[in-house]
């Protein structure tokens, strides 16, 4: 029997997770919630995802627009095994007691606190921590990107200290409030929360971060310096990352000068929605000086957490105990690493 999945919050992350669930053989989308009868509600319906409203007061608005509604979130909770909570950051907290009361499991996203779910998740680094759990949180896009490259380095070579600067996208492409066009905005609360968030997955790592919001919508860019426990060659670093999933090398020499080129590549690869779910690392931007490693990576904020949600479902629902197998199934179904 397939795992029955609901999506609460069919926005940037929710709609991508819904498509990814629909691409798996061992799970299915039972329904998605919308708060307003927007074009996304029409599209969800057209994609065959039954629509539910987040609350009963919203039903009339959908009926007025002629959009068929199957029920409310309460009705959806009655017919699913697990809910993907992809509501805006901080909103999921109010829903947790309702999921608990309905007797269903739930996955929260990076905008929620670690303490809310008690388990923070990255498929390659700690798949089994979510095994059978009622609640888990897939960490944010930035944390997912950092963990994908730092976890294997720490395990295979050893990290003494990491210092990273995150150049963050100002807004998502579809965010029509947008970010300022002519502004670089440093995070003044230092060090930023990204370092502690990485520690929810790699507890012993010594990491500090800074961040600057920039007027771009495409991707985040990470500038990372890692003091390693031993002196290794750049080829050893490449080999470490080559052996792990969801790390994709790009090359400046081959024309990948920046995030715009990377996003164009994702479209050329005919990835769904032009998404790039891997973290992109510049293979010709890796440098070892003594024991210090310098590198750059780019994170597609709208999509890198999507495959992690799929693997998190398999772990929480106890349907695949081998992380490598779950990751492979997910990646094959989504065209990752092709
Ligand atoms: P979004 O605003 O694009 O989508 C949120 C959706 O939830 C919208 O469809 C909205 O209508 C709906 N919603 C709003 N209030 C609701 C409520 N009370 N009940 C039910 N639905 C409600 O947000 P997003 O970017 O998809 O972010 C969702 C979560 O994913 C957040 O925790 C965020 O931090 C995290 N996240 C976002 C990104 C990103 O870059 N967009 C990346 C990784 C993780």
């Amino acid at each position: 029997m397939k795992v029955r999945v609901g999506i609460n919050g069919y926005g940037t992350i929710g709609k991508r997770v819904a498509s990814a669930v629909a691409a798996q053989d061992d799970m299915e989308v039972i329904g998605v919630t919308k708060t307003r009868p927007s074009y996304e509600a029409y599209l969800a319906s057209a994609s065959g995802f039954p629509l539910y409203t987040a609350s009963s007061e919203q039903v009339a608005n959908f009926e007025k627009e002629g959009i068929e509604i199957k029920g409310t979130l309460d009705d959806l909770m009655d017919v699913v095994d697990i809910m993907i909570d992809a509501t805006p950051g901080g909103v999921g907290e109010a829903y947790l007691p309702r999921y608990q009361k309905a007797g269903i499991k739930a996955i929260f996203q990076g905008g929620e606190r670690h303490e809310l779910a008690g388990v923070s998740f990255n498929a390659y680094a700690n798949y089994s921590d979510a095994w059978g759990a009622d609640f888990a949180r897939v960490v944010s896009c930035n944390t997912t990107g950092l963990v994908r490259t730092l976890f294997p380095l720490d395990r295979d070579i050893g990290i003494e200290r990491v210092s990273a600067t995150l150049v963050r996208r100002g807004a998502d492409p579809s965010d029509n409030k947008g970010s300022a066009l002519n502004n670089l905005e440093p995070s003044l609360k230092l060090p930023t929360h990204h370092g502690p968030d990485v520690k929810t997955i790699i507890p012993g790592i010594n990491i500090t971060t800074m961040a600057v919001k920039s007027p771009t919508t495409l991707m985040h860019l990470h500038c990372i310096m890692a003091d390693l426990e031993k002196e290794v060659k750049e080829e050893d670093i490449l080999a470490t990352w080559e052996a792990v999933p969801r790390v994709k090398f790009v090359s400046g020499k081959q024309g990948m000068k920046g995030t715009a080129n990377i996003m164009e590549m994702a479209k050329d690869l005919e990835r769904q929605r032009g998404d790039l779910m891997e973290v992109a690392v510049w293979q010709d931007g890796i440098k070892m000086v003594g024991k210090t490693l310098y590198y750059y990576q780019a994170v597609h904020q709208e999509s890198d957490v999507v495959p992690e949600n799929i693997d998190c479902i398999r772990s929480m629902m106890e349907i695949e105990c081998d992380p490598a197998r779950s990751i492979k199934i997910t990646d094959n179904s989504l065209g990752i690493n092709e």
Side-chain angles (χ1 to χ4, degrees), residues 8-14 33-36 40 54 58 73 85-91 95 108-112 138-142 169 172 174 220 300-305:
N8 188 21
Y10 191 75
T12 307
I13 300 298
T33 71
K34 283 301 298 172
T35 51
R36 286 177 298 112
E40 279 172 333
Q58 296 152 357
L73 177 66
D85 187 299
T87 58
V91 172
Y95 280 114
F108 297 93
Q109 307 304 311
E112 306 301 330
V138 167
V139 289
S140 74
C141 48
N142 277 311
R169 61 91 178 95
D172 284 335
S174 67
H220 301 297
H300 186 223
Q301 75 279 355
E302 296 173 284
S303 71
D304 71 330
V305 299

Coordinates of all heavy atoms in Angstrom, one line a residue, residues 8-14 33-36 40 54 58 73 85-91 95 108-112 138-142 169 172 174 220 300-305, ligand 1:
N8 N 0.2 20.6 3.3 CA -0.4 21.8 3.9 C 0.4 23.0 3.5 O 1.5 23.2 4.0 CB -0.6 21.7 5.4 CG -1.4 22.8 6.0 OD1 -2.2 23.4 5.3 ND2 -1.3 23.0 7.3
G9 N -0.1 23.8 2.5 CA 0.7 25.0 2.1 C 1.3 24.7 0.7 O 2.4 24.1 0.6
Y10 N 0.5 25.0 -0.3 CA 1.0 24.6 -1.7 C 1.6 25.8 -2.3 O 1.1 26.5 -3.2 CB -0.3 24.2 -2.5 CG 0.0 23.5 -3.8 CD1 0.5 22.2 -3.9 CD2 -0.3 24.2 -5.0 CE1 0.7 21.7 -5.2 CE2 0.0 23.7 -6.2 CZ 0.4 22.4 -6.3 OH 0.7 21.8 -7.5
G11 N 2.8 26.2 -1.8 CA 3.5 27.4 -2.3 C 4.8 26.9 -2.9 O 4.9 25.8 -3.5
T12 N 5.8 27.7 -2.8 CA 7.1 27.4 -3.5 C 7.6 26.0 -3.2 O 7.9 25.2 -4.1 CB 8.2 28.5 -3.0 OG1 7.7 29.8 -3.2 CG2 9.5 28.3 -3.8
I13 N 7.7 25.7 -1.9 CA 8.2 24.3 -1.5 C 7.1 23.3 -1.7 O 7.3 22.2 -2.2 CB 8.7 24.4 -0.1 CG1 9.9 25.4 0.0 CG2 9.2 23.0 0.4 CD1 11.1 25.1 -0.8
G14 N 5.9 23.6 -1.2 CA 4.8 22.6 -1.2 C 4.5 22.1 -2.6 O 4.3 20.9 -2.7
T33 N -3.5 21.7 0.4 CA -4.4 22.8 0.9 C -4.0 24.2 0.2 O -2.8 24.4 -0.1 CB -4.3 23.1 2.4 OG1 -3.0 23.6 2.7 CG2 -4.5 21.8 3.2
K34 N -5.0 25.0 0.0 CA -4.7 26.4 -0.5 C -5.6 27.3 0.4 O -6.6 26.9 1.0 CB -5.2 26.5 -1.9 CG -4.3 26.0 -3.0 CD -2.9 26.6 -3.0 CE -2.8 28.1 -3.3 NZ -1.3 28.5 -3.0
T35 N -5.1 28.5 0.6 CA -5.8 29.5 1.4 C -6.7 30.4 0.5 O -7.7 30.9 1.0 CB -4.8 30.4 2.2 OG1 -3.9 30.9 1.3 CG2 -4.1 29.6 3.3
R36 N -6.3 30.5 -0.7 CA -7.0 31.4 -1.6 C -7.2 30.7 -3.0 O -6.3 29.9 -3.4 CB -6.2 32.7 -1.9 CG -6.3 33.7 -0.7 CD -5.5 34.9 -0.9 NE -4.1 34.6 -1.1 CZ -3.4 34.8 -2.2 NH1 -4.0 35.3 -3.3 NH2 -2.1 34.5 -2.3
E40 N -2.6 29.0 -8.6 CA -1.9 27.8 -8.2 C -3.0 26.8 -7.8 O -2.8 25.5 -7.9 CB -1.0 28.0 -7.0 CG 0.4 28.6 -7.5 CD 1.2 29.0 -6.3 OE1 0.7 29.4 -5.3 OE2 2.5 29.0 -6.4
A54 N -7.4 25.5 3.8 CA -6.8 25.5 5.1 C -7.8 25.6 6.3 O -7.6 25.1 7.3 CB -5.7 26.5 5.2
Q58 N -12.8 29.6 4.3 CA -12.3 29.9 3.0 C -13.1 29.2 1.9 O -12.9 29.5 0.7 CB -10.8 29.5 2.8 CG -9.9 30.3 3.7 CD -8.6 29.6 4.2 OE1 -8.4 28.4 3.8 NE2 -7.8 30.2 4.9
L73 N -8.8 21.3 5.8 CA -7.6 20.6 6.3 C -8.0 19.4 7.3 O -7.4 18.4 7.3 CB -6.7 21.6 7.0 CG -5.5 21.0 7.7 CD1 -4.5 20.5 6.7 CD2 -4.8 22.1 8.5
D85 N 4.2 19.9 6.0 CA 3.8 21.2 6.4 C 4.8 22.2 5.7 O 5.9 22.3 6.0 CB 3.9 21.4 7.9 CG 3.3 22.8 8.3 OD1 3.9 23.8 7.8 OD2 2.3 22.8 9.0
A86 N 4.3 22.8 4.6 CA 5.1 23.8 3.8 C 4.5 25.1 3.9 O 4.4 25.9 3.0 CB 5.2 23.3 2.4
T87 N 3.9 25.4 5.1 CA 3.3 26.8 5.3 C 4.5 27.7 5.6 O 5.6 27.3 5.8 CB 2.4 26.7 6.6 OG1 3.1 26.3 7.7 CG2 1.2 25.8 6.3
P88 N 4.3 29.1 5.5 CA 5.4 30.0 5.7 C 6.0 29.8 7.1 O 5.4 29.3 8.1 CB 4.7 31.4 5.7 CG 3.4 31.1 4.9 CD 3.0 29.7 5.2
G89 N 7.3 30.2 7.2 CA 8.1 29.9 8.4 C 7.4 30.4 9.6 O 6.9 31.6 9.7
G90 N 7.4 29.6 10.7 CA 6.8 30.0 11.9 C 5.3 29.6 12.0 O 4.7 29.5 13.1
V91 N 4.6 29.4 10.9 CA 3.2 29.1 10.9 C 3.0 27.6 11.3 O 2.0 27.3 12.0 CB 2.6 29.3 9.5 CG1 1.1 28.8 9.4 CG2 2.6 30.8 9.2
Y95 N 0.2 24.4 13.8 CA -0.5 23.2 13.3 C -0.1 21.9 14.0 O -0.8 20.9 14.0 CB -0.1 23.0 11.8 CG -1.0 23.9 10.9 CD1 -0.4 25.0 10.2 CD2 -2.4 23.7 10.8 CE1 -1.2 25.8 9.4 CE2 -3.2 24.5 10.0 CZ -2.6 25.6 9.3 OH -3.4 26.4 8.5
F108 N 8.1 19.2 8.9 CA 8.1 20.7 8.9 C 9.3 21.1 8.0 O 10.2 20.3 7.7 CB 8.2 21.3 10.3 CG 7.0 21.0 11.1 CD1 7.0 19.8 11.9 CD2 5.9 21.7 11.0 CE1 5.8 19.5 12.7 CE2 4.7 21.4 11.8 CZ 4.7 20.3 12.6
Q109 N 9.4 22.4 7.7 CA 10.5 22.9 6.8 C 11.4 23.8 7.6 O 11.2 24.0 8.8 CB 9.9 23.7 5.6 CG 8.8 22.9 4.8 CD 9.3 21.6 4.3 OE1 10.4 21.5 3.7 NE2 8.6 20.5 4.5
G110 N 12.4 24.3 7.0 CA 13.5 25.0 7.6 C 13.1 26.3 8.3 O 13.9 26.8 9.1
G111 N 11.9 26.8 8.0 CA 11.5 28.1 8.7 C 11.0 27.8 10.1 O 10.7 28.8 10.8
E112 N 10.9 26.5 10.5 CA 10.5 26.2 11.9 C 11.7 26.0 12.7 O 12.8 25.6 12.2 CB 9.6 25.0 11.9 CG 8.4 25.1 11.0 CD 7.5 26.2 11.2 OE1 7.4 26.7 12.4 OE2 6.9 26.7 10.3
V138 N 12.8 19.1 7.9 CA 13.9 19.2 6.8 C 14.5 20.5 6.9 O 13.8 21.5 6.8 CB 13.3 18.9 5.4 CG1 14.3 19.3 4.3 CG2 12.8 17.5 5.3
V139 N 15.9 20.6 7.2 CA 16.5 21.8 7.4 C 16.4 22.8 6.2 O 16.1 22.3 5.1 CB 18.0 21.6 7.9 CG1 18.0 21.1 9.3 CG2 18.8 20.8 6.9
S140 N 16.8 24.0 6.4 CA 16.6 25.0 5.3 C 17.4 24.7 4.1 O 18.3 23.9 4.1 CB 17.0 26.4 5.9 OG 18.4 26.5 6.0
C141 N 17.2 25.5 3.1 CA 17.9 25.3 1.8 C 19.4 25.6 2.0 O 20.3 24.8 1.6 CB 17.4 26.3 0.7 SG 17.2 28.0 1.3
N142 N 19.8 26.6 2.8 CA 21.2 26.9 3.1 C 21.8 25.8 3.9 O 22.9 25.4 3.6 CB 21.3 28.3 3.8 CG 21.3 29.4 2.8 OD1 22.0 29.4 1.8 ND2 20.4 30.4 3.1
R169 N 20.0 35.0 -1.7 CA 19.1 35.6 -2.7 C 18.1 36.5 -1.9 O 17.7 36.1 -0.8 CB 18.3 34.5 -3.5 CG 17.5 33.6 -2.7 CD 16.0 34.0 -2.6 NE 15.2 33.1 -1.9 CZ 14.9 33.2 -0.6 NH1 15.4 34.1 0.2 NH2 14.0 32.4 -0.1
D172 N 12.5 34.9 -3.6 CA 12.3 33.9 -4.6 C 11.8 34.6 -5.9 O 11.1 35.7 -5.9 CB 11.2 32.9 -4.2 CG 11.9 31.9 -3.1 OD1 13.1 31.8 -3.2 OD2 11.1 31.4 -2.3
S174 N 9.2 34.2 -7.8 CA 7.8 34.5 -7.9 C 7.3 35.5 -6.8 O 6.1 35.8 -6.7 CB 7.0 33.2 -7.8 OG 7.1 32.7 -6.5
H220 N 21.4 31.0 -3.9 CA 22.3 31.5 -2.8 C 23.7 31.1 -3.3 O 23.9 30.1 -4.0 CB 22.1 30.8 -1.5 CG 20.7 31.0 -0.9 ND1 20.2 32.2 -0.5 CD2 19.8 30.0 -0.6 CE1 19.0 32.0 0.0 NE2 18.7 30.7 0.0
H300 N 20.2 26.1 -5.0 CA 18.9 26.6 -5.6 C 17.9 26.4 -4.5 O 17.4 25.4 -4.2 CB 18.5 25.7 -6.8 CG 17.3 26.2 -7.5 ND1 16.2 25.4 -7.9 CD2 16.9 27.5 -7.7 CE1 15.3 26.2 -8.4 NE2 15.6 27.4 -8.3
Q301 N 17.6 27.6 -3.9 CA 16.8 27.6 -2.7 C 15.4 27.0 -2.8 O 14.8 26.5 -1.9 CB 16.7 29.1 -2.2 CG 15.7 30.0 -2.9 CD 16.3 30.6 -4.2 OE1 17.5 30.4 -4.5 NE2 15.5 31.3 -5.0
E302 N 14.8 27.1 -4.1 CA 13.4 26.6 -4.2 C 13.3 25.1 -4.3 O 12.3 24.6 -4.2 CB 12.9 27.2 -5.5 CG 12.7 28.7 -5.5 CD 12.3 29.2 -6.9 OE1 13.2 29.2 -7.8 OE2 11.1 29.5 -7.1
S303 N 14.5 24.4 -4.5 CA 14.3 23.0 -4.8 C 15.3 22.0 -4.1 O 15.0 20.8 -4.1 CB 14.5 22.8 -6.3 OG 15.8 22.9 -6.7
D304 N 16.4 22.5 -3.5 CA 17.3 21.5 -2.9 C 16.7 20.7 -1.8 O 17.2 19.6 -1.5 CB 18.7 22.1 -2.5 CG 18.7 23.0 -1.3 OD1 17.6 23.6 -1.0 OD2 19.7 23.1 -0.6
V305 N 15.7 21.2 -1.1 CA 15.1 20.5 0.0 C 14.1 19.5 -0.4 O 13.6 18.7 0.4 CB 14.5 21.5 1.1 CG1 15.5 22.4 1.7 CG2 13.4 22.3 0.5
Ligands
LIG1 P1 5.5 30.2 0.3 O1 5.0 31.5 0.8 O2 5.9 30.2 -1.1 O3 4.3 29.1 0.4 C1 3.6 29.0 1.6 C2 2.2 28.5 1.3 O4 1.4 28.3 2.5 C3 1.4 29.4 0.4 O5 0.7 28.7 -0.6 C4 0.4 30.1 1.4 O6 -0.8 30.5 0.7 C5 0.2 29.0 2.3 N1 -0.2 29.4 3.7 C6 0.0 30.6 4.2 N2 -0.6 30.6 5.5 C7 -1.1 29.4 5.7 C8 -1.8 28.8 6.8 N3 -2.0 29.4 7.9 N4 -2.3 27.5 6.6 C9 -2.0 26.8 5.5 N5 -1.4 27.4 4.4 C10 -0.9 28.6 4.5 O7 6.6 29.7 1.3 P2 7.8 28.7 1.0 O8 8.9 29.5 0.4 O9 7.3 27.6 0.2 O10 8.2 28.3 2.4 C11 7.6 27.3 3.1 C12 8.6 26.7 4.2 O11 9.7 26.2 3.5 C13 9.1 27.8 5.2 O12 9.3 27.1 6.4 C14 10.4 28.2 4.6 O13 11.3 28.7 5.5 C15 10.9 26.9 4.0 N6 11.8 27.0 2.9 C16 11.7 27.9 1.9 C17 12.6 28.0 0.9 C18 12.6 29.1 -0.1 O14 13.6 29.6 -0.6 N7 11.4 29.4 -0.6 C19 13.7 27.1 0.9 C20 13.8 26.1 1.8 C21 12.8 26.1 2.9

